[in-house]
Amino acid sequence: MINFDFKKSLGQNFLNDENIIDKIVKASEIDKDTLVIEIGPGAGALSKKTIPLSGYTILYEIDTRLKDILEDVLKENDNYEIIFNDVLKQNVAEDINKYSFKKIYVVANLPYYITTPIISKIIDEISPDKIVVMIQEEVADRLCAQVGSREYAMITVALGSQYDIKKLFRVSRNCFIPAPNVDSAVISLEKHDRYNIIDKNLFDKLIKEAFKFKRKNLRNNLKGYDLNKIEEILTRNNYGLNDRAEVIPISLFVEIANELSK
Ligand code: SAM
């Protein structure tokens, strides 16, 4: 691996710390009833420990230069396939439909330049039961942000409406080859069904608009909606149109979207 020409443009920072790899594997709780998806296996540092625990694993890797290395590292396993393609261009739902396992988990050290598009695509397309991923710490803090905090954003609400998100542990930049410019964190997302969102498109559009201009309040950002109705819902929950989206809890966004969809 020392001689490998790492491509920064592909987010190639490979894990080089067995202790961290073991912590990710433990947190993921993979068993033989689990179909595992890994995006960006790199040289297989994580895959070589997760595949033997899984029922089956599908790996997506964009860089075909890793083919021989991966096949060699994983040669003792027969319960996996590697799809050499950009995961964002791949029909993941179609790939997993060939298999029938009780649970679908995503376990990965994600390429940082496309962390959010990958997580969003995977959730929209296959709605996995659990996701354990290493991402940039700054993004981790946004995804796990508490309502009212500066980091609380549209993506916090979008993911939190379907998943319980936890920051599990920080990972120093020194645990990678080559070392990235930022520290990382491992997060877990576990599916919940706390909210019954009647019209998902309306909910997605509403939160996108609500957070559109960070400094503007709901009255300004939600101009295109029935503001009387929204005000009524906000008021009975002790909020108002002068509040900004960052103080509105997920449950209240769901309540507003559901009432607007009636
Ligand atoms: N899992 C390995 C590890 O932990 O050592 C490598 C992780 S590295 C942060 C990210 C990996 O994602 C690289 O192997 C890179 O080639 C791959 N990758 C980057 N963009 C990708 C894409 N669009 N689709 C699939 N894989 C991608």
Side-chain angles (χ1 to χ4, degrees):
M1 265 291 88
I2 301 296
N3 296 325
F4 185 73
D5 180 17
F6 293 95
K7 280 201 180 148
K8 209 175 168 186
S9 61
L10 292 179
Q12 290 183 335
N13 303 100
F14 291 0
L15 262 169
N16 187 37
D17 184 312
E18 291 301 318
N19 179 39
I20 296 293
I21 296 168
D22 289 342
K23 276 174 85 171
I24 298 173
V25 174
K26 190 158 179 252
S28 62
E29 298 178 306
I30 297 165
D31 62 21
K32 288 286 168 192
D33 289 327
T34 317
L35 173 65
V36 174
I37 313 279
E38 184 179 348
I39 295 125
L46 194 54
S47 341
K48 69 173 185 244
K49 297 198 177 178
T50 52
I51 291 174
L53 301 172
S54 73
Y56 195 78
T57 298
I58 304 177
L59 310 131
Y60 296 96
E61 175 53 65
I62 199 169
D63 190 347
T64 49
R65 295 177 306 153
L66 291 159
K67 189 167 187 285
D68 292 346
I69 300 169
L70 268 174
E71 282 173 358
D72 184 47
V73 170
L74 304 177
K75 63 176 181 283
E76 274 150 36
N77 306 280
D78 58 4
N79 58 334
Y80 77 94
E81 70 194 69
I82 312 172
I83 297 175
F84 284 96
N85 193 10
D86 177 346
V87 71
L88 295 178
K89 296 195 179 132
Q90 189 71 22
N91 188 334
V92 180
E94 206 171 277
D95 298 335
I96 66 161
N97 274 347
K98 289 180 254 167
Y99 304 98
S100 159
F101 285 90
K102 274 196 197 143
K103 300 170 286 185
I104 301 172
Y105 289 3
V106 173
V107 182
N109 170 18
L110 292 177
Y112 293 174
Y113 72 107
I114 43 169
T115 302
T116 319
I118 291 178
I119 296 178
S120 300
K121 176 190 161 87
I122 288 287
I123 288 180
D124 288 348
E125 228 171 85
I126 63 169
S127 188
D129 301 285
K130 182 170 172 176
I131 302 174
V132 176
V133 280
M134 170 109 70
I135 60 176
Q136 240 175 285
E137 188 172 32
E138 190 194 326
V139 180
D141 288 338
R142 200 175 321 134
L143 302 190
C144 306
Q146 293 300 313
V147 61
S149 68
R150 212 164 45 86
E151 291 89 4
Y152 187 75
M154 196 265 288
I155 189 78
T156 324
V157 178
L159 300 186
S161 66
Q162 302 174 70
Y163 287 83
D164 285 319
I165 311 172
K166 275 196 216 125
K167 184 171 172 181
L168 300 181
F169 51 90
R170 297 186 64 210
V171 180
S172 152
R173 62 193 78 184
N174 300 323
C175 298
F176 302 86
I177 299 183
N181 297 328
V182 292
D183 289 322
S184 304
V186 175
I187 60 165
S188 73
L189 294 89
E190 292 200 49
K191 201 150 120 183
H192 67 66
D193 52 8
R194 213 171 298 129
Y195 307 119
N196 175 26
I197 300 174
I198 299 169
D199 183 341
K200 179 82 170 56
N201 285 337
L202 193 152
F203 177 76
D204 288 346
K205 196 162 166 281
L206 176 83
I207 59 174
K208 197 170 161 200
E209 299 285 329
F211 283 94
K212 193 165 183 184
F213 299 104
K214 231 181 143 20
R215 289 173 184 283
K216 290 197 174 175
N217 60 22
L218 294 172
R219 188 190 311 281
N220 285 309
N221 278 340
L222 296 180
K223 258 188 200 132
Y225 293 84
D226 181 346
L227 284 180
N228 288 333
K229 201 167 190 179
I230 295 178
E231 186 167 33
E232 187 192 311
I233 306 162
L234 287 169
T235 310
R236 70 166 182 253
N237 284 282
N238 301 318
Y239 294 89
L241 286 173
N242 291 334
D243 282 318
R244 289 187 191 154
E246 69 194 32
V247 304
I248 305 298
I250 298 171
S251 57
L252 186 46
F253 277 118
V254 175
E255 193 176 329
I256 296 170
N258 281 353
E259 294 223 12
L260 289 175
S261 72
K262 279 179 197 158

